[in-house]
Amino acid sequence: MKVFSLDSKDECSKIGANIILDELEKNKNLVLGLATGSTPELMYNYIIDNFKKRNLSFKDVKTFNLDEYVGLKPNYEDQSYRNFMNTCLFNQIDIDKNNTHFPVSYKEINVQNNYDSYDKLIDENGGIDIQILGIGNNGHIAFNEPGSELESKTRLIELTESTIKANSRFFDNINDVPKKAVTMGINSIFNAKKIILLAFGENKREAVEKLINAKSFDKNWPCTSLYNHEDLTILTDIQF
């Protein structure tokens, strides 16, 4: 585990972007695991600003996103994680969108998927080379909330009341917030060869400390599942 306690979110994001671009320079067939939300957005901006300057291409890159809502109403399709990634990254780089994957279509309501197929697809593509993660105040990673099992794989979940409340700021009415999502599991995430975890703001301090100080997995803090990952980099503006 490498922990970089830096002065700003800006500095953390630049380092994260450069790690990805450095790997892309060495491997044009890079497989990326991607996260959504405000945490990685600045890092994506730096990638957009610099990949052409470095004469790099994403044409052969494949991506697998951590999660997606299920059953978004048509007037809220812009809140889908697919739309977020298109807007904040994919539309502004030269990636083939056929190589960008999500565990489910946000339009699905009655989901009957075999979610093992998502993990299998990742394996068939050689596994994730770099996984980008954020972290929740309660230590959740992706939609793996407290109580998630260490061996969990990609699966359909019911969103917790606290998650629905937190996400309601993006909707006109809390009743419009999707109640379900599909998420990569803890084991799915752990299998990535390299993990970059971004943590910004004092409200994340307890969760980051739980991870840094962990000696074993505590299911009450899902982030502790990463304590013994062989290549984990934490980039944070929290001062330790």
Side-chain angles (χ1 to χ4, degrees):
M1 183 188 305
K2 293 175 284 188
V3 181
F4 294 87
S5 184
L6 304 169
D7 291 335
S8 67
K9 176 179 179 179
D10 185 81
E11 190 175 358
C12 294
S13 300
K14 284 182 181 178
I15 291 174
N18 281 323
I19 290 173
I20 291 172
L21 294 174
D22 288 347
E23 289 296 321
L24 180 58
E25 196 165 37
K26 294 182 284 187
N27 177 15
K28 70 174 186 176
N29 298 304
L30 200 63
V31 179
L32 296 175
L34 300 178
T36 55
S38 59
T39 296
E41 194 168 358
L42 186 56
M43 185 188 70
Y44 294 151
N45 288 342
Y46 281 117
I47 289 172
I48 292 164
D49 290 342
N50 288 282
F51 84 99
K52 283 186 178 178
K53 293 177 184 176
R54 295 182 57 171
N55 195 31
L56 299 173
S57 173
F58 283 83
K59 288 180 180 177
D60 297 310
V61 169
K62 295 183 176 65
T63 69
F64 292 88
N65 261 76
L66 285 168
D67 40 31
E68 180 59 281
Y69 285 131
V70 170
L72 270 173
K73 295 180 180 179
N75 54 316
Y76 286 115
E77 288 185 359
D78 60 342
Q79 300 301 338
S80 74
Y81 294 154
R82 160 62 77 179
N83 184 68
F84 175 94
M85 293 305 308
N86 286 343
T87 301
C88 293
L89 184 62
F90 298 154
N91 289 347
Q92 301 179 70
I93 59 177
D94 62 341
I95 197 165
D96 180 351
K97 286 186 184 173
N98 291 320
N99 290 334
T100 64
H101 305 285
F102 290 74
V104 71
S105 168
Y106 63 87
K107 296 181 181 181
E108 296 187 56
I109 299 174
N110 299 314
V111 181
Q112 302 291 334
N113 290 43
N114 172 13
Y115 302 113
D116 286 346
S117 64
Y118 197 61
D119 293 305
K120 288 176 181 175
L121 184 61
I122 293 171
D123 289 342
E124 288 168 3
N125 282 277
I128 291 173
D129 294 308
I130 304 176
Q131 175 67 62
I132 305 303
L133 286 181
I135 190 171
N137 298 2
N138 62 358
H140 75 252
I141 50 176
F143 277 129
N144 295 288
E145 297 284 355
S148 296
E149 297 295 336
L150 189 61
E151 295 303 317
S152 58
K153 299 282 191 176
T154 301
R155 66 200 188 282
L156 178 69
I157 61 158
E158 300 279 346
L159 298 182
T160 64
E161 185 177 343
S162 62
T163 296
I164 291 170
K165 185 176 180 180
N167 291 350
S168 66
R169 68 188 186 277
F170 301 116
F171 296 82
D172 296 330
N173 189 306
I174 194 169
N175 294 323
D176 293 329
V177 183
K179 307 300 188 290
K180 296 180 180 180
V182 176
T183 184
M184 277 192 206
I186 289 176
N187 183 260
S188 309
I189 293 167
F190 189 87
N191 285 336
K193 296 161 193 168
K194 176 191 287 289
I195 296 175
I196 300 172
L197 188 146
L198 305 168
F200 305 135
E202 279 295 316
N203 59 330
K204 306 292 180 70
R205 177 179 289 275
E206 185 178 10
V208 175
E209 287 180 339
K210 291 287 186 182
L211 171 53
I212 292 173
N213 298 320
K215 304 299 181 186
S216 62
F217 172 60
D218 178 356
K219 69 183 337 181
N220 295 312
W221 292 91
C223 59
T224 60
S225 60
L226 307 176
Y227 81 97
N228 62 345
H229 191 278
E230 63 181 15
D231 194 349
L232 169 64
T233 298
I234 299 173
L235 300 170
T236 182
D237 62 355
I238 304 166
Q239 301 304 306
F240 292 102

